């Protein structure tokens, strides 16, 4: 029987995707990459207004499935190719998705598993979860955007500590350092993550997508470029039906009914 490497559930305007290789702590193999990319494509194609990503079992993801990395032939695998064809497109896809991506880190997130989580827009983690930049333990370099996101999120000193020491970082410390949005009691994680995804899905999706783009661009822009970008994106947001509805609702002292466009 074919392994169902992910589970997808359509919710009310949003999609919940669960990495589903719990016996391997949801380590990534090529099939799981393919299924996840296809589910994210579907979410974009069908106009999902939020995505929630989580893991089955006691872990979020332990990164690359190391049992797929054998040296039997005597030759080293070309890891540049796997980044080019699997991990980098996945991270780009998450960042380019025109709706918020919430990640509920339900347990350990190691290696690329940690950095795929950090590529999401809002990261919640169970209090028992840990983030491990496990790469140093096996002689690799943090990938999946880790060397980009870590120093920006927590500063160079902590980024280097995490990457060079590969020590587990508990969820609460990750939240205190600004690596993630929030640590949540384990038994409340999924309820809170789903409520957040539903809240975002009921929001002004177009404006949220433009906001996501602006904040991501700020990592590489200088202030002049960023001000110009804000102008351009605000112009676009100002033409949206949701902007009109937001202002109208404010003036009429009622809750806005955003359509996501
Ligand atoms: O290769 C390329 O394409 C380049 C890209 C690389 C990206 C990367 O992600 S490199 C980093 C790869 N990941 C790791 O190095 C982490 C390896 N795992 C661990 O260090 C530990 O499993 C954890 C710290 C994450 C959790 O420890 P623990 O004690 O809670 O669980 P465990 O007993 O180690 O693991 C449970 C099972 O999952 C176990 O299987 P078993 O013995 O019960 O049959 C273990 O072998 C399996 N597992 C965990 N991680 C992986 C894995 N199987 C395959 N690949 C894994 N990464």
């Amino acid at each position: 029987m074919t392994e169902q490497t992910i589970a997808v559930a359509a919710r009310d305007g949003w999609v919940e995707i669960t990495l589903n290789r719990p016996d391997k702590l949801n380590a990534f193999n090529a099939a799981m990459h393919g299924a996840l990319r296809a589910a994210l494509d579907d979410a974009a194609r069908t106009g999902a207004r939020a995505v929630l990503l989580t893991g089955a079992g006691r872990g979020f993801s332990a990164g690359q499935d190391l049992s797929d990395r054998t040296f039997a032939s005597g030759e080293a695998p070309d890891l540049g190719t796997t980044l080019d064809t699997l991990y980098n497109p996945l991270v780009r896809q998450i960042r380019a998705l025109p709706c918020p991506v919430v990640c509920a880190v339900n347990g350990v997130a190691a290696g690329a598993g940690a950095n795929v989580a950090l590529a999401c827009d809002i990261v919640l983690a169970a209090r028992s979860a840990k983030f491990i930049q496990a790469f140093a333990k096996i002689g690799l370099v943090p990938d999946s955007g880790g060397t980009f996101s870590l120093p920006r999120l927590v500063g160079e000193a902590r980024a280097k500590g995490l990457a060079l020491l590969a020590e587990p970082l508990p969820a609460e410390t990750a939240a205190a350092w600004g690596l993630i949005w929030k640590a949540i009691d384990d038994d409340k994680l999924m309820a809170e993550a789903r409520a957040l995804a539903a809240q975002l899905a009921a929001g002004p999706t177009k404006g949220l997508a433009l906001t996501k783009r602006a904040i991501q661009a700020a990592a590489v822009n200088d202030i002049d470029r960023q001000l110009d970008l804000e102008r351009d994106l605000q112009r676009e947001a100002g033409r949206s039906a949701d902007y009109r509805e937001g202002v109208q609702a404010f003036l009429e002292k009622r809750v806005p009914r955003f359509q996501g466009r």
Side-chain angles (χ1 to χ4, degrees):
M1 207 175 72
T2 323
E3 184 189 27
Q4 294 299 311
T5 53
I6 66 164
V8 181
R11 308 289 186 202
D12 189 13
W14 58 279
V15 179
E16 181 169 328
I17 303 174
T18 306
L19 305 177
N20 191 33
R21 304 185 73 219
D23 295 349
K24 295 207 167 218
L25 297 179
N26 304 314
F28 277 89
N29 61 8
M32 194 164 90
H33 272 287
L36 178 55
R37 298 276 317 279
L40 292 171
D41 270 342
D42 273 357
R45 191 177 43 76
T46 58
R49 293 174 65 186
V51 170
L52 171 58
L53 180 64
T54 190
R58 72 176 178 88
F60 172 70
S61 171
Q64 171 60 37
D65 187 333
L66 296 176
S67 55
D68 277 0
R69 296 284 175 265
T70 66
F71 298 83
S73 70
E75 276 185 32
D78 181 350
L79 302 188
T81 300
T82 62
L83 293 191
D84 255 350
T85 56
L86 299 174
Y87 289 99
N88 293 354
L90 172 61
V91 168
R92 290 190 174 110
Q93 189 178 13
I94 291 170
R95 286 174 63 87
L97 212 67
C99 69
V101 182
V102 176
C103 187
V105 178
N106 51 301
V108 67
N115 293 336
V116 167
L118 297 179
C120 297
D121 301 310
I122 299 194
V123 185
L124 307 176
R127 242 174 258 291
S128 67
K130 292 175 248 172
F131 294 81
I132 313 176
Q133 294 295 320
F135 307 89
K137 299 248 187 227
I138 55 170
L140 292 185
V141 176
D143 59 24
S144 304
T147 59
F148 181 88
S149 57
L150 289 173
R152 283 171 174 80
L153 292 169
V154 299
E156 189 170 323
R158 283 170 169 164
K160 282 184 179 163
L162 291 171
L164 299 178
L165 302 175
E167 285 174 6
L169 184 74
E172 281 201 57
T173 314
W177 285 8
L179 187 73
I180 64 168
W181 176 236
K182 251 192 206 179
I184 295 170
D185 290 343
D186 288 29
D187 59 347
K188 300 198 173 71
L189 175 71
M190 288 316 294
E192 193 157 328
R194 286 175 182 137
L196 186 60
Q199 177 193 326
L200 289 164
T205 311
K206 173 131 192 155
L208 299 182
L210 297 174
T211 302
K212 168 173 171 170
R213 241 171 80 191
I215 289 177
Q216 288 176 178
V220 291
N221 275 349
D222 61 23
I223 179 70
D224 283 324
R225 276 170 180 262
Q226 193 64 18
L227 287 171
D228 288 349
L229 180 67
E230 286 179 1
R231 175 205 57 210
D232 294 344
L233 298 183
Q234 196 71 300
R235 183 171 285 146
E236 208 175 324
R239 292 185 183 125
S240 69
D242 283 342
Y243 168 60
R244 236 175 299 145
E245 165 63 7
V247 173
Q248 198 67 31
F250 174 79
L251 296 175
E252 292 169 10
K253 299 190 188 303
R254 61 171 174 81
V255 177
R257 288 180 295 269
F258 293 121
Q259 305 294 314
R261 45 192 172 80

